[in-house]
Amino acid sequence: MAVKITKIGLMTSGGDAPGMNAAIRSVARTCAYYNIVCVGIYRGYEGMIEGDFKILTARSVNNIINKGGTILKSARSKEFRTKEGRKKAYSHIKKANIDALILIGGDGTFTGGLLFSEEFNFPVIGIPGTIDNDIYGTNYTIGYDTALNTIIEVIDKIRDTASSHKRLFFVEVMGRDAGHIALNVGVGAGAEEILIPEEDLGLERLLMSLRHSKQTGKSSSIVVVAEGDKIGKNVFELKDYVEEHLSEYEVRVSVLGHMQRGGSPSCFDRVLASKMGVKAVESLLDGKTNYMVGTINNKMELTPIKKALKIHSEINKELLRVSDIMST
Ligand code: F6P
C-alpha cells in the first residue's frame, strides 16, 4: 500500500544548472498548495548523510526564480556510493519523518536515488536538471536552454575577433559524455565543424574540411569541440596538429569552462522547471515512485528512472546533417 505523503525531502545534486532554483521554488510552493511539508536537503547526498535539513515554506523561496546556481547547494558525494553512507542518510531521513524524496540532478543523482529507493523501499521522484541534456525520457533538461544561450553569446564574440584576425578557433564546450550542447551551439553559432563524443569525425576529415574552407574563400573559422569528444586529441593538441599540417592557419583555443553553468535561467528553463516541480509533487501524491518527470512533445510524462538511466539519449542525426550542409 502506498505511504501517505505528508513531508517531502528535496535536494539538488551533481553539477548545478540554471533553473534549479525555479524547480526548488516550484516544489516548495506545490507542497504548500497541498499542505505538505517541504524539507530542503543541503549539498545533495552529502547533506543527506549529515542531516543538513531545513524546512522550505512557500515564502522561503521568494525571489529565487531568476537566480542561477542552487540555493540548496550541490555536491558529488563519494560517501553516498557506499552502503554505509546510504544507511547514514536513511537514518537522518527517518528521524526527520520525511516520507518521500524529490531529486533534482542528472544521471549520477538518479543512480544514487534508485539505489537508495530500492534498498530502503523509499519513494523517489527525479527531476532532470543538467546543462548536458543527456537524459533519456525528456526532450529537455533544466539548464540546457540557458547554457545554449550563454554559449552562443560567447561564441558570437569569439567570431568577432576570429574574423578580424582571420583565425581559426577551437572552442571547447561542456559535455563529458554527450554532444547535445556542442551540436546545437555549433549549428546556432555557425561553426565550421563540430566534434562530439557520439561521432568521431577523424583527424583526416577535419583537415580536409578546413582545407576546403580556405580554398572556398573562408577567412576565419570556428570549430566547436565537446569536452568528451573522441577524436583523440584535446583542444590544445588539436591546435598544434592543425598548425603543423595546415600552415595557412593561425589557430587559437578557447575553453569556456564553468561559466556555461552559471547565469540567470532563460524563460524556457524557468517555465520547464515550474512545470516539472508541480508534476513531481503530484506524482508522489498519486503514489508513483522511481519515476523521472520529463517533457516529451510538450507534454509532462513519467519515465521509470531505471529506463532513463539505461537508455542513452540519442544525438539528433538530422541536426548533424544540417550542420554538414551548413559548412559547405
Ligand atoms: O554534468 C554537467 C557537467 O557540467 C558536464 O558537462 C561537465 O563535464 C561536468 O559537469 C563538470 O563537472 P564538475 O563541475 O564537477 O567539474
Side-chain angles (χ1 to χ4, degrees):
M1 205 184 78
V3 190
K4 183 170 160 36
I5 311 268
T6 58
K7 213 178 206 187
I8 292 177
L10 168 68
M11 69 171 208
T12 50
S13 162
D16 62 344
M20 279 185 165
N21 280 328
I24 293 168
R25 171 181 180 270
S26 170
V27 171
R29 293 223 168 139
T30 310
C31 283
Y33 180 84
Y34 286 108
N35 287 316
I36 301 164
V37 179
C38 180
V39 180
I41 300 167
Y42 284 77
R43 296 172 294 114
Y45 292 120
E46 288 289 299
M48 206 191 276
I49 288 168
E50 291 167 24
D52 190 1
F53 305 157
K54 199 157 123 198
I55 287 179
L56 296 178
T57 65
R59 291 290 73 79
S60 41
V61 291
N62 284 352
N63 300 319
I64 65 166
I65 193 166
N66 55 330
K67 299 242 167 21
T70 156
I71 59 155
L72 290 178
K73 315 294 178 196
S74 194
R76 299 189 196 274
S77 171
K78 283 210 179 91
E79 199 180 347
F80 196 78
R81 290 189 202 151
T82 67
K83 181 119 197 192
E84 271 317 297
R86 293 194 293 277
K87 270 192 191 156
K88 275 193 216 164
Y90 182 68
S91 71
H92 283 295
I93 291 287
K94 282 303 337 152
K95 211 160 96 197
N97 295 317
I98 293 171
D99 307 308
L101 288 171
I102 294 180
L103 313 171
I104 308 172
D107 49 6
T109 306
F110 298 154
T111 305
L114 189 62
L115 263 177
F116 185 84
S117 165
E118 287 176 350
E119 276 170 6
F120 304 104
N121 188 24
F122 202 80
V124 163
I125 291 283
I127 296 182
T130 163
I131 65 162
D132 291 351
N133 204 37
D134 59 346
I135 313 266
Y136 176 84
T138 189
N139 297 141
Y140 300 102
T141 56
I142 295 169
Y144 177 58
D145 180 67
T146 307
L148 294 184
N149 289 314
T150 303
I151 299 167
I152 277 280
E153 204 184 316
V154 177
I155 301 185
D156 285 351
K157 288 177 177 151
I158 292 176
R159 178 178 287 284
D160 290 343
T161 173
S163 71
S164 304
H165 286 268
K166 299 189 171 185
R167 282 172 174 161
L168 160 66
F169 267 80
F170 283 106
V171 180
E172 187 191 275
V173 298
M174 276 189 169
R176 204 171 17 203
D177 307 309
H180 302 286
I181 292 180
L183 181 57
N184 276 270
V185 296
V187 170
E192 193 54 45
E193 281 296 347
I194 303 166
L195 310 185
I196 54 174
E198 294 84 347
E199 289 258 332
D200 181 6
L201 180 72
L203 288 164
E204 256 326 295
R205 242 278 328 259
L206 177 65
L207 289 184
M208 253 172 62
S209 159
L210 292 173
R211 215 172 272 129
H212 173 78
S213 36
K214 266 280 185 238
Q215 282 160 2
T216 55
K218 287 195 187 171
S219 58
S220 66
S221 299
I222 287 168
V223 175
V224 173
V225 185
E227 207 183 354
D229 94 287
K230 301 280 188 293
I231 205 160
K233 292 188 186 294
N234 67 36
V235 270
F236 297 99
E237 292 164 348
L238 278 176
K239 168 190 182 326
D240 294 343
Y241 183 82
V242 168
E243 283 184 336
E244 194 183 305
H245 289 81
L246 303 174
S247 53
E248 62 271 40
Y249 272 105
E250 190 186 359
V251 189
R252 292 291 185 271
V253 169
S254 191
V255 177
L256 302 191
H258 285 77
M259 56 87 68
Q260 296 165 87
R261 288 225 302 248
S264 176
S266 64
C267 180
F268 181 90
D269 276 328
R270 296 181 200 192
V271 174
L272 179 67
S274 303
K275 282 159 71 177
M276 285 183 166
V278 170
K279 181 74 177 177
V281 175
E282 290 182 343
S283 301
L284 280 175
L285 295 182
D286 261 6
K288 302 276 191 316
T289 177
N290 279 334
Y291 283 97
M292 183 194 84
V293 306
T295 177
I296 301 175
N297 300 331
N298 215 15
K299 263 188 75 194
M300 281 293 130
E301 304 280 2
L302 293 176
T303 300
I305 292 186
K306 212 174 229 163
K307 192 168 175 193
L309 286 171
K310 201 163 159 201
I311 304 182
H312 197 258
S313 72
E314 288 289 311
I315 203 78
N316 185 340
K317 288 267 175 0
E318 176 56 13
L319 201 49
L320 268 177
R321 201 177 73 82
V322 169
S323 136
D324 274 350
I325 297 175
M326 289 303 106
S327 61
T328 302

